[in-house]
Every structure is written in C-alpha cells, then in structure tokens.
C-alpha cells in the first residue's frame, strides 16, 4: 500500500504479484493500516490520506488481476507503521489519561478509534474496481491485529475480551468475508498444560479461548524459531517447530474444530551463520510438516512464508525478504509446495473440507504467499 501510493513505484507491487502467481501462489496477506508518521494512511483518528488509500485500492485491483486473494490486517501490535503505540499516543494528545499501550484493549476511546478505522476500511469504495471492500471477493479475510500481545495480563483474558468485541463488530458490518485474529499461537490460562509448548515465555494471549470465539473462522500461528530460540542450533529449532505445528494442529482439529494456517514463518539472513542452503532446508522441512497434516483433510489449511518482496525494496528488508526472481532454489521449493498442496486439495475435494494451499505476506516484512481455508468460502 505504501509503495503503491506512489504511482512511479506501483510496478513493484505488480512485479511481486506476477512472480507469486507464476510460482502458483494464491493468497497475499498485507497491511490495511499505516497509522501516523511518514506516508500514513490514517494521519490522525478518522483522518485519512486519499492518495495512500488509492494505493490500497491498487493493491486489491492488482491482486484480482493476478488471481490472488487477500488477507488484510487492520492494525499492528508493534510501532511499525503506528500500531497500538500510535493509538495510545493519539489518545494522550487528546488529553485522555492512558496508563499503557495495553489500554488499547480496554479503553473506550482507543476501542472507538479502532472501530472507526475498521468501518472506514471495510466500507471503502475502491476507486479502481468500483466495488466496496466488503463486497469484493478478491479479499478473502480480515485480520483483527498482527500479533496481539499484552504485558499487563499474561492470562490472555484481556486480549480475549477485545477479540470477542471486535470480531462481533467486524461481522456486524461484513458477514461475507472470513475473519481471523492474527495470533502467534501462544497458549494461555484456559489450558495451562499446553504452556509447555510455548518458547519459554508468554505474551498475554490464549490460543485456545480466543479461537473458540464463534465469529473467528480459522486459527493462525506464527513461528520465528531463530528469534524465539536464539542461540540454539538448526536441529533444535526445527524440533521446536515440529512440536509447535503438531500441537496446534491437534488443538485445531480436536478442540477448535477450525482450519489452521501457519501464517508467518521464515529464516533471517541477518542471523550469524546464515546461508541459503540452511534457509531452503528449513523451509522444506516446514512444508513437509504442513503437507503431512494437510493429508488428513481439513484442519491444516496451508502456510504463508514471511516474506516476498520485489527488486528495489531492499530498504525494507528485515532479513526475511525473498525476491523470487533472485532466489531460484527457494522459489522452486515454494512452487513445489504450492503444486503439492493444490493437487492434494483436488484429491480431498469430495470431503467436508475442500481446499489447501501455500502463501504470501506484504507490508512491514513485505509479502506472504498463498492459502485458501479449507471448507469455507468468502462468497456463495
């Protein structure tokens, strides 16, 4: 969106979609927010930059052109592109007493800021396609928040209450699209025995209780083993990854009874000892896990690697960026997984859960590629 807000840069958006489509990827997860600061979408509460919004219009229209569906995230947990910290600062600037950024989940002023943004985005009329976002089948799902966390309540109850309220709000104005939370997958107090699967700490969310909320259509997990298990070797990190995926797959199948998506994972080129072969080996192992569980039909919906970028976007590389045209070995692994998952989807299409794919991300860590949740459709 921020790239697309500059007409001279829009070719980069088209390039990423074109390369993703050529690699058989089918879904892009990207930001529908940029709060305050440079090139903001939302300049201040309720005040928007129309040129930046037209950038998001372009992203949606290009996704449609290349046959890619979108998951649009509505706010960030972190201060990248504003997020919760910017919402809290806006309230302070308005004279509201704010104790911490965690007031985002409970304070009525901050909750109203968020609801107003949701309403503005979901009901946006696309100046290129001529459709409102809430009526556009190119958009597959909304994401409430990227990686919610809450330092003031590690039980997960505060975030859970916010998810319930905001999920109900989103569905009240858009019943056509799917909805997910944006969680990393950390376990909380509802099933304390599951905390053993967390990477040694909690972040104030509860994977189980929040995904049991009926308005949430599918579950997500993220995994950054190179950050969470920093200093441990590749074998230890992969062993954690396998436990992480397995535990959440079992819970999604038996407890939640909803599809599961590995919505972010990757391996950073900025880590000591990084090499391309290590990244390709890691991705291949993750993909084998995803495919093996998808074979059971229904629960494992797919995976989204973090992140795809275009040439000329190196300035926003956080270490996880993949430029497909410049990384043929990695592109081949991604393409192979996409083909395998699509073939599997066709084999399973007579069951109650129909489709599985791979994935695409765009934004602060520019682009995840390709998942359609099995057994659910955004539109009739």
């Amino acid at each position: 969106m921020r790239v697309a807000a500059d007409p001279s840069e829009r070719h980069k958006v088209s390039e990423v979609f074109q390369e993703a489509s050529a690699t058989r990827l089918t879904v892009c997860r990207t930001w529908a927010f940029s709060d305050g600061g440079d090139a903001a979408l939302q300049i201040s509460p309720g005040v928007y930059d129309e040129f930046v919004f037209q950038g998001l219009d372009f992203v949606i229209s290009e996704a449609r052109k290349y046959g890619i569906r979108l998951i649009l995230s509505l706010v960030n947990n972190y201060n990248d592109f504003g997020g919760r910290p910017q919402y809290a600062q806006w309230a302070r600037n308005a004279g509201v007493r704010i104790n911490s950024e965690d007031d985002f989940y409970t304070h009525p002023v901050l909750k109203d800021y968020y609801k107003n943004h949701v309403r503005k985005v979901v009901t946006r009329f696309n100046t290129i396609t001529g459709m409102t976002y809430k009526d556009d089948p190119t958009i597959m799902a909304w994401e409430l928040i990227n990686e919610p966390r809450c330092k003031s309540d590690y039980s997960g109850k505060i975030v859970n209450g916010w998810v319930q309220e905001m999920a109900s709000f989103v569905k009240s104005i858009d019943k056509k699209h799917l909805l997910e939370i944006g969680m990393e997958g950390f376990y909380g107090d509802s099933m304390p025995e599951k905390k053993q699967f967390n990477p040694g700490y909690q972040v104030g969310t509860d994977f189980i209780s929040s995904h049991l909320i009926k308005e949430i259509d599918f579950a997500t997990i993220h995994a950054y083993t190179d950050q969470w298990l920093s200093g441990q070797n590749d074998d230890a990190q992969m062993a954690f990854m396998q436990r992480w995926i397995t535990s959440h797959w079992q819970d999604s199948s038996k407890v939640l009874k909803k599809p599961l998506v590995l919505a972010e994972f990757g391996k950073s080129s900025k880590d000591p000892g990084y090499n391309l072969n290590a990244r390709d080996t890691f991705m291949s192992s993750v993909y084998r896990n995803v495919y093996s569980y998808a074979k059971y039909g229904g629960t494992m919906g797919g995976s989204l690697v973090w992140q795809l970028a275009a040439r000329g976007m190196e300035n926003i590389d956080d270490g996880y960026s993949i430029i497909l045209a410049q990384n043929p070995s990695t592109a081949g692994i991604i393409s192979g997984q996409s083909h395998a998952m699509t073939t599997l989807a066709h084999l399973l299409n007579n069951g109650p859960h129909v489709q599985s794919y791979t994935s695409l991300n765009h934004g602060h860590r520019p682009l995840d590629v390709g998942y359609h949740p099995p057994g659910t459709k955004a539109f009739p």
Side-chain angles (χ1 to χ4, degrees), residues 27-42:
V27 172
C28 166
R29 173 175 169 261
T30 188
W31 302 156
F33 64 82
S34 181
D35 311 309
D38 180 55
L41 171 63
Q42 187 175 193

Side-chain angles (χ1 to χ4, degrees), residues 233-273:
N233 62 33
D234 288 351
D235 289 343
Q237 291 183 18
M238 193 60 227
F240 172 88
M241 189 71 158
Q242 290 173 333
R243 292 192 300 271
W244 189 247
I245 294 173
T246 299
S247 177
H248 289 87
W249 170 74
Q250 290 172 338
D251 292 333
S252 297
S253 178
K254 298 176 182 178
V255 181
L256 304 179
K257 302 185 186 306
K258 294 180 180 181
L260 171 69
V261 178
L262 173 56
E264 283 191 34
F265 79 99
K267 192 170 184 63
S268 176
S269 62
K270 296 183 178 181
D271 281 355

